[in-house]
Amino acid sequence: MKAVVQRVTRASVTVGGEQISAIGRGICVLLGISLEDTQKELEHMVRKILNLRVFEDEGGKHWSKSVMDKQYEVLCVSQFTLQCVLKGNKPDFHLAMPAEQAESFYQGFLEQLRKAYRPELIKDGKFGAYMQVHIQNDGPVTIELESPAPGAAASDPKQLSKLEKQQQRKEKTRAKGPSESSKERSAPRKEDRSATSGAEGDVSSEREP
């Protein structure tokens, strides 16, 4: 799932010359849903969008407050073109979720946003319609968000925890059995009296030319 989040002073959606939705200060979210997206990716994106710190605090400190902190509005617009792959210069959208599935998925996304925030502050466009989206970007501030690919944490070694790595090493060691060097280290050593006593056959003197 991909999203383009823009901090706005105002934003609206028009369909067929009629304004169907509008917000004042807040964020406008353009959302692209992929074939592989699940409830997990949906919940991840909802958390990120609502907690993204793109506003100032009361003291004027930048990047300190989220849309929820400020109690501002959110305008969401479904945009499958965010899942574009270029074939030469021609956009290809085979990675986007088909419209029949995407519509219910998008409605689920809106529902989660409303549950996590204030329902009356969440507005949206019209799914599948030809829309004109009017955005007055504040800053300008535009942030791109992308949910982790399904299974990415499990397949990427960098994402594995130290404990998991250690467990893997232990399992490999058990499978191979003790090495020759470890056997030698574990075998009892016979005391070399001549080397430690400094009497006949001093080891260090034998190495001298």
Side-chain angles (χ1 to χ4, degrees):
M1 188 179 290
K2 295 180 180 179
V4 172
V5 180
Q6 299 187 63
R7 189 178 71 188
V8 300
T9 51
R10 68 179 69 175
S12 62
V13 177
T14 301
V15 176
E18 179 186 353
Q19 182 175 290
I20 63 168
S21 193
I23 65 169
R25 194 159 172 76
I27 57 175
C28 181
V29 179
L30 307 178
L31 188 77
I33 303 166
S34 84
L35 275 170
E36 297 183 339
D37 285 331
T38 66
Q39 186 67 20
K40 183 179 179 181
E41 284 73 51
L42 185 154
E43 291 172 358
H44 171 90
M45 192 61 75
V46 166
R47 285 195 304 273
K48 281 292 185 184
I49 288 168
L50 292 179
N51 290 287
L52 187 63
R53 296 188 293 179
V54 292
F55 297 99
E56 299 177 352
D57 65 12
E58 293 71 19
K61 184 179 179 182
H62 295 287
W63 319 114
S64 299
K65 297 292 182 180
S66 68
V67 70
M68 286 201 301
D69 294 330
K70 302 293 283 187
Q71 295 292 291
Y72 288 157
E73 294 177 286
V74 180
L75 174 62
C76 296
V77 178
S78 176
Q79 189 168 359
F80 73 91
T81 58
L82 286 176
Q83 294 294 340
C84 165
V85 175
L86 287 179
K87 290 188 173 180
N89 292 320
K90 183 181 179 181
D92 180 276
F93 306 111
H94 73 275
L95 294 180
M97 186 178 286
E100 312 77 52
Q101 300 168 251
E103 184 170 8
S104 61
F105 194 93
Y106 177 67
Q107 294 303 326
F109 168 79
L110 292 174
E111 185 180 340
Q112 285 292 322
L113 274 178
R114 289 175 176 134
K115 282 182 180 179
Y117 191 26
R118 292 171 54 188
E120 70 275 15
L121 296 182
I122 305 296
K123 310 290 178 64
D124 70 308
K126 186 175 181 181
F127 186 91
Y130 192 91
M131 296 175 276
Q132 285 74 49
V133 183
H134 306 274
I135 300 169
Q136 188 167 301
N137 196 318
D138 180 31
V141 172
T142 302
I143 308 292
E144 294 182 61
L145 299 177
E146 186 168 0
S147 60
S155 61
D156 184 0
K158 292 181 181 178
Q159 300 299 322
L160 294 172
S161 68
K162 290 182 180 180
L163 290 176
E164 288 174 326
K165 288 181 179 179
Q166 288 171 0
Q167 186 62 30
Q168 288 175 355
R169 285 196 291 267
K170 285 178 183 177
E171 288 173 0
K172 286 179 183 178
T173 303
R174 286 197 206 101
K176 290 179 180 178
S179 63
E180 291 300 321
S181 58
S182 63
K183 287 178 183 176
E184 289 174 6
R185 285 197 298 271
S186 59
R189 287 176 136 188
K190 293 182 181 179
E191 188 179 354
D192 187 345
R193 297 181 183 228
S194 62
T196 57
S197 62
E200 315 168 353
D202 188 308
V203 177
S204 59
S205 65
E206 289 178 359
R207 293 198 184 104
E208 295 175 3

